[in-house]
Structure formats: C-alpha cells, structure tokens
Amino acid sequence: MAAGLVLTGRPQAFTEQDTGRDGMERRLQIATVAGLAGLALLAWLPWLDRVAVEHVEDGFRRALIAHATARALNAGISLLQESTVAVSVLGTGVTVALGQVLDPLNDLVEWFASMMLLATVSFGVQRVLVAIGGYWLLALALTAVAGWAAFVVLKGRAWPRGLRMALIILLLARFAVPASAIASEGLYRAFMAADLGRSQQMLERLASSASEQGATQPGWRESLSPAEWKRRLEFWVQASEQAVDSMVRVIVVFLLQTLMLPLAILWALVRLAGLLARGGPQPA
C-alpha cells in the first residue's frame, strides 16, 4: 500500500514540476514578445530623434566654445612669448624663465584645442547618424524583423540563422546614437555641468590675461621692474597648474560623451538583443 502511494505520488510531482516550467517559459515568451513590440513602437516615435538632436546640438556648442577658448588662449600665450623674447635682450633674465614656463603650457593648449576639435567633429557625426537612424525605412525593417522574431518566439521554434544578427544590427542602427545622446546629456547635466562651467571660465580668464599682458608688454627700449617680472612669473606658474587641471576636467567630460558612454550603450544594446533572442528555443 505504501509502495502504491509512492508510485502514484511521483507522476503527480512530475506533473506539477512540468506545469511550473511550462508556465515560466510561457511568461518568458510573453515578456519577450512585449519587449519586441515595444522596440518596434519606439522605432516610429519622432520625439526620440528630436530630443537626441537637441542634446547633440548642445554638446556641439559646448565643444565649439571650448575649442574657441583654447585657440584664444593659445594666441594669447604665443603673443606673450613673442613679447618676452624681445624684452629679454635687455638683460633682465627673468623673461627667459617666463618663456620656459609658457612653452610647455602652450604645447598642451595646442593639444587641447585639437581634442576639442575632434569632439566637435564627433558631435557633428552623431547629428548625421541620428538623421540616418530616424529614416522610416530603417524603422520599417526593424518592425518587420521584430515581428518575425515575435512569431518565432510564440511558436516555440528555434531562431533562424541570421535573425539574431539582423535584430542586433537594426537595434544598433536605430537606437545606439539617440540613446547615447540622451544618456550622455543626462549624465552631463546631473554630474558634470557645474564642473565644466568652472573649468571653462578659468580657461577664458587665462586667455584674457595672456592677451592683455602680451599686448601691453614693453618694447625694445623699455623694461619692467624686477618685482613686476617676479609677479608675472609667479602668476603664470600658478596659472599653468590651474590651466592643466581645467583642461583635464574638460577633456574628461567630452571623452565620456563622445567615446566611453557610446561604447557602453552599444554593449547594452547588444546584450538586449541577446536577451531577446533567448526568449525562444535555441538551435542545437
């Protein structure tokens, strides 16, 4: 009798376990189909591209302003260096030390200006890619592939060869740049806007000081007092440290917005497509 109870209990246990597994698989299928439908709908929404374009334009303007500031600082330092070389003929000696302070700073400013130019170009490329990603044929192709994938999932079939890759490519083409632009702008406004503003103001003040001092340097027959040369030397030694710190902070902001965060978005979209592809049976 006990054996009979055991034998009759096992099929009951297996039936409950199988039912639970089937229910979990069904819920996974429904969630996958809902995710595919949501992506297909999102591909047609115009506000995604409008918001992305606005954020890309904001980043483009910030990079352009930073580039212009760097060029102004470079021009002011170059003017200051030329003036101090002329005065050094008079034998003050301190101007040589000032030139040595300004030369590496000027090299760094030139490199910084090149980096900001690259950031400006990167934002311009993003603007073009947003326009390409918003083209209606791309949304139509993504909708068709998502519908095909949803049909495969609901039928419980294995994903055909190439379906997962097509879904990944279309997801990246449609959403990578807009998602990157929106995420990077949100990160900038939340954590980096104040820091970038302070750094930008510091560089603008240094550019103004370099231009003013370079334009008012004495000529060949005039000289500054040793105390004035000492004051200027101390000013530019301190200013060089501040300029390096400000430029590094600005570079970090644009490096995050134009390189690191877009790569993270690409990785996330690839992972998303992979998770969606697991919603149905996989080929052996």
Side-chain angles (χ1 to χ4, degrees):
M1 186 67 179
L5 290 175
V6 174
L7 290 175
T8 57
R10 286 182 178 176
Q12 181 71 20
F14 280 122
T15 301
E16 292 177 355
Q17 183 177 3
D18 292 342
T19 302
R21 184 183 298 110
D22 292 341
M24 182 178 298
E25 291 178 355
R26 188 61 179 174
R27 287 192 294 270
L28 179 59
Q29 288 178 347
I30 294 174
T32 301
V33 171
L36 290 168
L39 290 174
L41 177 61
L42 191 61
W44 291 97
L45 296 181
W47 68 265
L48 180 68
D49 298 320
R50 286 200 301 266
V51 174
V53 167
E54 291 175 0
H55 291 342
V56 169
E57 292 293 343
D58 290 341
F60 179 84
R61 284 191 291 269
R62 289 194 298 268
L64 195 62
I65 292 173
H67 175 71
T69 302
R71 299 310 303 174
L73 181 58
N74 174 250
I77 292 177
S78 298
L79 182 62
L80 188 59
Q81 284 181 304
E82 291 177 0
S83 299
T84 54
V85 169
V87 179
S88 65
V89 179
L90 298 178
T92 60
V94 182
T95 55
V96 176
L98 180 58
Q100 292 173 350
V101 170
L102 293 178
D103 188 57
L105 176 61
N106 206 22
D107 293 339
L108 181 60
V109 170
E110 291 178 354
W111 178 79
F112 173 70
S114 300
M115 291 289 292
M116 293 302 98
L117 180 60
L118 288 176
T120 304
V121 172
S122 176
F123 282 114
V125 172
Q126 289 183 37
R127 176 65 179 84
V128 175
L129 292 178
V130 169
I132 294 175
Y135 192 51
W136 67 270
L137 281 178
L138 190 59
L140 181 62
L142 179 58
T143 302
V145 171
W148 181 19
F151 176 79
V152 170
V153 170
L154 289 176
K155 290 296 184 180
R157 299 174 182 174
W159 284 62
R161 186 180 302 274
L163 177 57
R164 182 172 182 269
M165 184 57 63
L167 183 61
I168 290 175
I169 292 175
L170 289 172
L171 280 175
L172 294 180
R174 181 63 185 94
F175 296 116
V177 178
S180 173
I182 294 173
S184 65
E185 185 67 17
L187 182 66
Y188 164 78
R189 293 180 181 180
F191 301 104
M192 297 179 289
D195 197 20
L196 180 64
R198 288 191 296 268
S199 300
Q200 182 71 25
Q201 290 176 0
M202 173 60 67
L203 293 175
E204 290 174 355
R205 286 196 297 269
L206 291 179
S208 177
S209 297
S211 299
E212 291 176 0
Q213 292 187 22
T216 57
Q217 284 283 3
W220 287 87
R221 298 181 180 180
E222 301 177 69
S223 62
L224 295 176
S225 64
E228 179 62 17
W229 281 119
K230 181 179 179 181
R231 186 190 68 81
R232 295 195 178 191
L233 177 61
E234 292 175 350
F235 170 82
W236 282 109
V237 168
Q238 183 179 5
S240 298
E241 298 176 355
Q242 295 174 345
V244 170
D245 179 75
S246 298
M247 285 186 285
V248 168
R249 291 177 183 273
V250 174
I251 289 174
V252 168
V253 171
F254 288 105
L255 188 63
L256 283 172
Q257 288 194 288
T258 60
L259 181 62
M260 298 180 66
L261 196 56
L263 290 177
I265 295 296
L266 288 175
W267 177 85
L269 288 176
V270 171
R271 294 289 297 173
L272 174 61
L275 291 175
L276 293 173
R278 296 195 188 104
Q282 299 301 308

